[in-house]
Amino acid sequence: MNQRQLFLRHLAQTSPAPLALEIVKAEGSRIRDIGGKEYIDLISGISVCNIGHRHPRVLAAINKQLEQYLHLMVYGELIETPQVAYAKYLCDHLPPSLNSVYFTNSGAEATEGAMKLAKRCTGRTQIIAFNKSYHGSTQGALSIIGDEYWRNAFRPLLPDILHLEYNSLSDLSNIGEKTACVIAETLQAERGVIIPTKEWMQELRQKCNNTGALLVLDEIQAGFGRTGTLWGFEQWDMIPDIVLLGKALGGGMPLGAFISDIKLMRTLTENPVLGHITTFGGHPVSCAAGLAGMKVIIEENLMNGVEGKEKLFRELLHHPKIKAFRAMGLLMSLEFESFEENKSVIDKCIAGGVLTDWFLFAPQCMRIAPPLNISEDDIRKSCAIIIDSIS
Ligand code: PLP
């Protein structure tokens, strides 16, 4: 069997039509397949590679950690310097009330941890989330994602979940004194980049304050400079009680986190003790890589270029078949008439050397979320290929 056949035979498949490109190398904004063909990566492994692939500073940090230790012990028992250093660096770049970090392996696990923390802190059970929001695919996270098609086959799910309409001021009146937490994305990525109003976000914060519900913001796609500020919530001038991180958090390695105030987080140490357990969460190599990656974003000022690059994409991506262009920094969505039209453009883009895809809840929209340090030249080349593919 060739690699493709082995892939289809032995790797559990969840997609009827995987891209199945065989990749041998990735560097910066470029990915190369086994035939030597290069692709400009316009999706960054779904908002993971914000600093591009295999950044030298990340590779150096990984290599250094490899010389010291890999897994030592389950989470939270031994002092592992990479975890401590990264937690401190994250807290130094977050508002003072977000000062205690629980590292997980993934975004979904961060969601799970935050839901447990909110129940534990408030003694309440109701969790409110929003239609067409995505927070992960484990049972708890799946219970709160906002689309019945994706949930239904896996019922029964968590009880006491309420879904509201995102960006609807009137729906916020459903937040009440039984609500443990409200979980919202800073912007809805998988709906095809839906940006809430500042008024709605601030009202959401106010409503949580008034009712004692905790506000959990999912920054798993929006964080780490993608929207032009380090954290998406900075754009709304408000601060969540718990923030969820993942994807770019690990600099290309698997890592997630939920971050809150130490007073809230302490509830996980008693009754029961070990209120949240993970063997591998905060793996030292992932933390070393993630810290190096976050330093690249900050020290190399990658956020400064985001606005200009978004503008360039906007200027270059004009075509009568593009129904809408929505963007917040370098999280962009090109809307077509239908999934079929979008898929045909995506297939042509890939054949032309541009890697892109669609959004989970918006199959008619093309995802454009390149590394933040993509060059202007690669933006121009990829936009020309997209326009050619549409035509
Ligand atoms: N939250 C958001 C906004 C996401 O986009 C994702 C993944 O796409 C997740 C949570 C889940 O992260 P993971 O796939 O690491 O479990």
Side-chain angles (χ1 to χ4, degrees):
M1 282 201 234
N2 63 27
Q3 277 298 307
R4 185 188 160 81
Q5 289 163 332
L6 289 169
F7 164 78
L8 293 173
R9 171 66 189 82
H10 292 297
L11 243 102
Q13 300 290 321
T14 56
S15 163
L19 287 178
L21 301 171
E22 192 177 341
I23 303 303
V24 292
K25 185 94 189 226
E27 191 119 33
S29 297
R30 298 291 183 117
I31 292 183
R32 197 168 71 236
D33 74 12
I34 190 149
K37 178 171 171 176
E38 271 209 339
Y39 302 84
I40 301 173
D41 183 2
L42 284 196
I43 49 179
S44 312
I46 316 296
S47 301
V48 169
C49 309
N50 286 14
I51 57 170
H53 295 271
R54 297 177 66 251
H55 193 286
R57 288 177 65 180
V58 171
L59 299 189
I62 290 174
N63 280 321
K64 184 162 171 249
Q65 187 54 38
L66 293 182
E67 296 300 321
Q68 291 166 326
Y69 50 85
L70 302 180
H71 175 77
L72 292 180
M73 181 52 174
V74 295
Y75 183 77
E77 289 298 323
L78 300 180
I79 300 172
E80 299 187 20
T81 313
Q83 289 179 346
V84 179
Y86 198 13
K88 164 91 171 68
Y89 194 73
L90 281 163
C91 295
D92 286 348
H93 290 86
L94 280 162
S97 57
L98 297 169
N99 53 47
S100 177
V101 180
Y102 191 112
F103 284 118
T104 62
N105 297 286
S106 65
E109 285 172 77
T111 305
E112 300 285 342
M115 288 196 284
K116 286 172 67 183
L117 179 62
K119 285 180 170 173
R120 187 70 189 80
C121 290
T122 59
R124 304 174 182 181
T125 55
Q126 186 189 53
I127 293 176
I128 291 184
F130 294 94
N131 294 330
K132 308 283 180 209
S133 275
Y134 184 76
H135 301 288
S137 191
T138 50
Q139 288 273 309
L142 181 68
S143 304
I144 61 164
I145 70 170
D147 190 307
E148 187 55 17
Y149 169 77
W150 301 90
R151 290 189 305 245
N152 193 36
F154 304 102
R155 289 190 178 281
L157 296 169
L158 281 186
D160 222 356
I161 306 289
L162 179 65
H163 284 96
L164 305 180
E165 192 47 39
Y166 193 78
N167 210 19
S168 157
L169 281 170
S170 60
D171 269 24
L172 296 180
S173 62
N174 290 289
I175 300 169
E177 301 205 339
K178 284 196 246 155
T179 312
C181 67
V182 182
I183 305 188
E185 287 174 88
T186 319
L187 73 157
Q188 286 193 303
E190 294 306 316
R191 197 178 199 167
V193 185
I194 298 298
I195 301 161
T197 62
K198 188 169 177 177
E199 184 194 8
W200 184 77
M201 270 291 183
Q202 292 195 344
E203 187 58 29
L204 171 62
R205 176 66 277 181
Q206 196 52 48
K207 193 73 190 163
C208 289
N209 289 348
N210 295 347
T211 56
L214 296 179
L215 177 58
V216 182
L217 282 188
D218 181 338
E219 287 268 337
I220 290 168
Q221 282 208 50
F224 291 94
R226 183 146 296 280
T227 66
T229 48
L230 185 56
W231 313 117
F233 64 76
E234 290 172 59
Q235 314 230 0
W236 311 129
D237 224 354
M238 41 89 87
I239 296 170
D241 300 299
I242 304 174
V243 70
L244 307 182
L245 301 179
K247 295 200 183 272
L249 174 70
M253 295 289 284
L255 193 62
F258 57 102
I259 304 180
S260 185
D261 189 273
I262 192 165
K263 288 198 274 309
L264 301 184
M265 214 56 112
R266 277 203 184 112
T267 59
L268 295 179
T269 63
E270 57 190 45
N271 195 24
V273 295
L274 302 173
H276 197 63
I277 301 176
T278 170
T279 297
F280 286 122
H283 192 282
V285 179
S286 296
C287 284
L291 174 58
M294 185 172 166
K295 283 185 173 170
V296 169
I297 293 174
I298 288 167
E299 290 169 16
E300 297 183 10
N301 290 326
L302 294 192
M303 283 168 294
N304 286 354
V306 167
E307 196 183 327
K309 288 176 184 177
E310 176 198 327
K311 219 161 144 194
L312 187 56
F313 274 106
R314 255 184 212 282
E315 271 166 32
L316 297 172
L317 290 174
H318 277 287
H319 191 282
K321 286 192 174 165
I322 299 175
K323 302 281 166 231
F325 180 105
R326 288 183 297 276
M328 194 164 175
L330 289 179
L331 190 47
M332 295 169 274
S333 164
L334 279 193
E335 183 158 354
F336 293 96
E337 190 65 45
S338 63
F339 168 65
E340 289 67 31
E341 191 167 301
N342 187 25
K343 175 77 168 76
S344 136
V345 176
I346 288 170
D347 288 347
K348 286 181 194 145
C349 282
I350 293 172
V354 165
L355 190 58
T356 174
D357 75 346
W358 60 91
F359 293 91
L360 203 58
F361 305 138
Q364 77 286 12
C365 295
M366 180 192 283
R367 183 192 310 270
I368 305 182
L372 309 186
N373 51 3
I374 187 173
S375 66
E376 203 179 297
D377 195 38
D378 271 359
I379 295 177
R380 290 186 185 281
K381 279 189 186 132
S382 54
C383 288
I385 292 170
I386 293 173
I387 295 297
D388 263 7
S389 304
I390 301 173
S391 305

